Amino acid sequence: MANKFYITTPIYYPSGKFHIGTAYSTVVAESLKRYHELKGEDSYMLTGTDEHGQKIQTVAEKLGETPKEYVDKMAKAAKELWAKMNIKYDDFIRTTDERHEKVVQKIFDRFMEQGDIYKGYYEGLYCVPCETFFTETQLVDGKCPDCGREVVPMKEEAYFFNMKKYADRLLKYYDEHPDFVKPDYRKQEMINNFIKPGLEDLCVSRTSFDWGVKVLKDPKHVVYVWVDALTNYITALGYLSDDDTLFKKYWPADVHVVGKDIARFHLIYWPIFLMALNLPLPKTVFVHNWIMMKDGKMSKSKGNVIYPEQLIDRYGLDATKYFLLREMPSSQDGIFTPESFIDRYNFDLCNDLSNLLNRTVSMVNKYFEGQVPKYNGTPNAVDKELEDYCIEQIKKFEEKINNFEIANSLQEIWNLVARTNKYIDETAPWTLAKEEKTEELKSVMYHLIENLRKIAILIKPFMDDTSEKILKQIGIQDLNLKTWKSLLDYDKLENIKVIEKAEPMYMRLDAEKEIGYIKDLMMKK
Ligand code: MSP
């Protein structure tokens, strides 16, 4: 039976339009899902929206809408964006779904019964008109960050989850499961910053607002944020409502993809909740960095926000996804600049990839009337070196992606693209043709087509449309020649005819003009 692969995105706060940074978690998760699917695994991807809480309630009130009307509208917008980005998820959970709320209540009850939750007081600085608590650091000039008015110290009754009880178990778990946290340095951050100094108990209910899941045994409380949000990963699979189908099949998750700002919740609180429920823990939590702008975080007030739709409409989906995935290092934040976006487009996609395809298709047409020669079985030294390089790159790609080094895995593919371009210069097919070295010329054409086929398969999880375009132009129709397994074959192409006229996939952009265009987008309010 095929391996299963269950991957999740964070569930999004529907508090505003998603920009290219927010879309990143989903683009990564979906690419990983497609990669595992291509490898023949039974993949399942969950995404959704995190719809409760005071902030949502306040935003809705300001718009004169009920919270439900507001979140319905926003969840619809999220689905529309994912459709535009061709994101193929298997389920979309909303924390306002009845299937979720009922199970959250059961889970909360169980925590209470087990004595994991106790009643105490939530203390903080409170803005009366906004009805919101803030911490000292959230204040702007000592005042409410939303309305600028004075805040007052306040306390309210709340339930707390006893995290301390589980701290040692968590440390032991980290120790025994080296793959639980990717990249590894995030684990040390958790230990040094939060666990070693003494884990604080977590506030899990509130009484100062009511847009949330009611605590059954104490209905003036609503469940507060993380018990409600994190449990989506299991409620969506039917935990405690239909445990024998999806939950049985897919839990534990193979990967939770999360941004660095929510690492703590996924690496500390979520494993502890699962321990309290006596459930297995996810195999890996992959923590990614952030997409930043030159002047820091994206924000409307700074006038530096870019929305995915804006890039997609002008440059296409694949170019947009390629940039996001390629420009995010594992060890630090990625930076979006109009210049780097256009460079990636002009160099990686147009010069390197698209030109390789064009040159190859044109030569096969010119020298062999479009018919791809057969593999000759006795490659010469230059051809053999290319074959070995290619197989080596495929292995490197797999190592990197299996270790969640997404940008590096793309780099390995582009190394193969560059090496294949270099092979054309090395073998100089035009000279072989002139000197009538037909056997050698045939072998060069075969190797070029074979490498393009492999490149198309390798990029498929990230750039589906570009991958299909390459395969179509080089005449690969047989499904067996599009599989992951077929990547390691080097001799199976027979009766392949390339299209008559190469169609450029990416045309060189006028850099200055396009940089100006993107800068204008960023200024738009
Ligand atoms: N609702 C919580 C998650 C609950 S999961 C049980 C939440 N939502 S969010 O909408 O604020 O963030 C969603 C995702 O977007 C997070 O992974 C966050 O890190 C990511 N990003 C937000 N801005 C980002 C960038 N600028 N760059 C990359 N990712 C960013 O947190």
Side-chain angles (χ1 to χ4, degrees):
M1 216 179 68
N3 279 345
K4 66 90 184 168
F5 181 76
Y6 175 39
I7 187 160
T8 66
T9 73
I11 48 170
Y12 286 81
Y13 290 130
S15 45
K17 206 166 143 54
F18 299 167
H19 54 60
I20 52 164
T22 15
Y24 182 80
S25 302
T26 297
V27 169
V28 169
E30 206 239 5
S31 300
L32 290 169
K33 181 212 164 184
R34 284 176 185 257
Y35 163 64
H36 284 266
E37 208 159 60
L38 192 58
K39 291 207 325 184
E41 294 174 20
D42 172 5
S43 305
Y44 194 86
M45 171 174 163
L46 174 69
T47 189
T49 36
D50 189 357
E51 303 185 351
H52 291 127
Q54 176 144 39
K55 239 190 163 163
I56 301 287
Q57 192 168 353
T58 314
V59 175
E61 273 162 15
K62 274 189 192 150
L63 292 170
E65 293 170 10
T66 65
K68 182 74 173 91
E69 281 166 351
Y70 175 75
V71 293
D72 282 351
K73 184 177 77 184
M74 297 305 283
K76 188 166 162 273
K79 286 182 183 171
E80 281 165 4
L81 173 63
W82 303 143
K84 176 147 185 134
M85 298 188 78
N86 197 19
I87 299 289
K88 297 257 186 326
Y89 51 80
D90 296 281
D91 194 5
F92 189 104
I93 184 137
R94 301 178 52 187
T95 50
T96 52
D97 287 345
E98 198 186 278
R99 59 174 174 156
H100 176 75
E101 293 193 341
K102 284 204 157 142
V103 178
V104 169
Q105 288 177 320
K106 284 190 201 170
I107 291 173
F108 201 94
D109 258 11
R110 180 161 161 195
F111 288 161
M112 278 170 110
E113 274 163 26
Q114 288 178 184
D116 285 318
I117 280 178
Y118 63 89
K119 207 184 250 184
Y121 285 94
Y122 183 87
E123 288 183 60
L125 297 158
Y126 192 72
C127 173
V128 182
C130 295
E131 297 177 19
T132 311
F133 275 95
F134 296 103
T135 60
E136 198 94 41
T137 49
Q138 288 172 318
L139 302 181
V140 175
D141 299 329
K143 305 228 166 83
C144 170
D146 289 345
C147 72
R149 279 181 271 214
E150 294 291 338
V151 289
V152 287
M154 274 265 271
K155 71 183 204 178
E156 73 176 52
E157 185 184 282
Y159 286 97
F160 288 82
F161 191 101
N162 183 352
M163 291 287 163
K164 292 182 192 74
K165 182 172 146 191
Y166 291 92
D168 288 341
R169 260 178 82 182
L170 183 63
L171 284 173
K172 186 159 178 280
Y173 191 87
Y174 282 175
D175 239 21
E176 290 170 356
H177 297 82
D179 287 337
F180 179 60
V181 186
K182 292 280 174 184
D184 203 50
Y185 68 88
R186 295 283 176 199
K187 179 163 61 191
Q188 215 46 51
E189 278 178 13
M190 296 299 130
I191 298 174
N192 295 347
N193 300 347
F194 304 108
I195 307 180
K196 282 272 162 69
L199 249 193
E200 296 206 8
D201 291 346
L202 181 75
C203 175
V204 288
S205 86
R206 298 293 295 275
T207 53
S208 54
F209 59 90
D210 60 5
W211 178 240
V213 180
K214 284 215 165 6
V215 173
L216 277 182
K217 295 213 167 102
D218 198 349
K220 71 173 192 293
H221 287 256
V222 291
V223 177
Y224 180 51
V225 193
W226 291 100
V227 173
D228 181 19
L230 290 161
T231 51
N232 89 87
Y233 302 132
I234 51 178
T235 62
L237 293 183
Y239 175 63
L240 294 186
S241 60
D242 175 14
D243 299 72
D244 285 335
T245 36
L246 292 176
F247 184 70
K248 188 168 168 197
K249 188 167 173 194
Y250 290 116
W251 191 257
D254 292 82
V255 190
H256 292 312
V257 175
V258 303
K260 61 179 183 179
D261 55 319
I262 51 173
R264 175 159 63 109
F265 305 102
H266 287 80
L267 296 176
I268 298 178
Y269 304 139
W270 180 225
I272 288 180
F273 291 156
L274 288 166
M275 284 174 183
L277 293 171
N278 209 13
L279 288 175
L281 268 50
K283 289 189 195 139
T284 299
V285 175
F286 167 47
V287 181
H288 64 72
N289 289 302
W290 268 35
I291 306 243
M292 305 294 278
M293 305 309 258
K294 254 199 203 136
D295 51 350
K297 274 192 184 178
M298 255 175 268
S299 86
K300 270 197 194 161
S301 53
K302 278 193 204 158
N304 66 358
V305 184
I306 287 279
Y307 299 103
E309 296 93 328
Q310 296 175 317
L311 295 178
I312 294 167
D313 286 344
R314 189 146 176 114
Y315 307 105
L317 175 61
D318 283 3
T320 305
K321 278 171 65 181
Y322 176 73
F323 178 86
L324 293 178
L325 295 166
R326 182 66 195 266
E327 283 288 330
M328 177 76 94
S330 303
S331 54
Q332 65 197 64
D333 287 332
I335 312 266
F336 177 94
T337 64
E339 291 81 2
S340 55
F341 184 86
I342 298 301
D343 272 0
R344 287 280 176 213
Y345 193 103
N346 275 344
F347 294 107
D348 299 15
L349 300 179
C350 176
N351 278 13
D352 297 345
L353 183 63
S354 194
N355 282 353
L356 172 64
L357 177 70
N358 283 355
R359 290 162 90 192
T360 304
V361 169
S362 310
M363 287 192 289
V364 176
N365 273 312
K366 184 165 170 197
Y367 303 133
F368 298 107
E369 287 165 350
Q371 192 67 42
V372 179
K374 269 173 64 170
Y375 187 68
N376 73 10
T378 50
N380 64 22
V382 180
D383 296 351
K384 185 75 180 72
E385 199 202 313
L386 183 78
E387 289 181 19
D388 292 345
Y389 181 87
C390 193
I391 302 298
E392 193 54 34
Q393 284 313 105
I394 295 167
K395 282 194 199 135
K396 282 191 187 163
F397 168 84
E398 291 209 75
E399 267 165 39
K400 301 276 158 67
I401 194 155
N402 291 339
N403 200 34
F404 302 96
E405 295 172 47
I406 316 286
N408 291 342
S409 70
L410 283 168
Q411 168 79 58
E412 299 298 354
I413 305 177
W414 257 258
N415 288 345
L416 178 60
V417 173
R419 179 68 188 84
T420 311
N421 272 317
K422 190 167 150 231
Y423 172 77
I424 301 184
D425 301 334
E426 271 172 10
T427 55
W430 43 93
T431 313
L432 297 177
K434 214 192 284 158
E435 294 172 359
E436 293 184 10
K437 293 187 174 157
T438 314
E439 280 315 303
E440 278 179 49
L441 185 61
K442 278 185 178 169
S443 185
V444 171
M445 292 304 120
Y446 183 91
H447 281 80
L448 287 174
I449 294 289
E450 185 57 295
N451 273 22
L452 274 164
R453 181 182 76 90
K454 292 181 199 304
I455 290 162
I457 298 173
L458 288 166
I459 63 170
K460 192 163 172 59
F462 317 98
M463 310 168 82
D464 194 35
D465 191 39
T466 306
S467 165
E468 282 304 322
K469 278 186 183 152
I470 297 175
L471 292 170
K472 185 168 162 262
Q473 295 203 38
I474 62 172
I476 304 287
Q477 283 164 0
D478 183 351
L479 291 182
N480 291 320
L481 295 172
K482 297 184 181 182
T483 63
W484 196 259
K485 223 171 107 237
S486 76
L487 264 181
L488 296 178
D489 294 334
Y490 223 115
D491 55 1
K492 298 275 188 300
L493 304 188
E494 275 183 53
N495 291 327
I496 305 286
K497 205 164 178 348
V498 303
I499 62 161
E500 270 172 36
K501 199 164 163 20
E503 293 160 9
M505 295 189 297
Y506 295 94
M507 305 276 254
R508 200 175 171 81
L509 300 171
D510 175 340
E512 204 177 315
K513 181 171 150 219
E514 297 307 322
I515 289 166
Y517 178 84
I518 299 176
K519 283 187 176 158
D520 284 348
L521 288 181
M522 286 158 60
M523 301 302 290
K524 264 191 199 159
K525 293 278 162 181

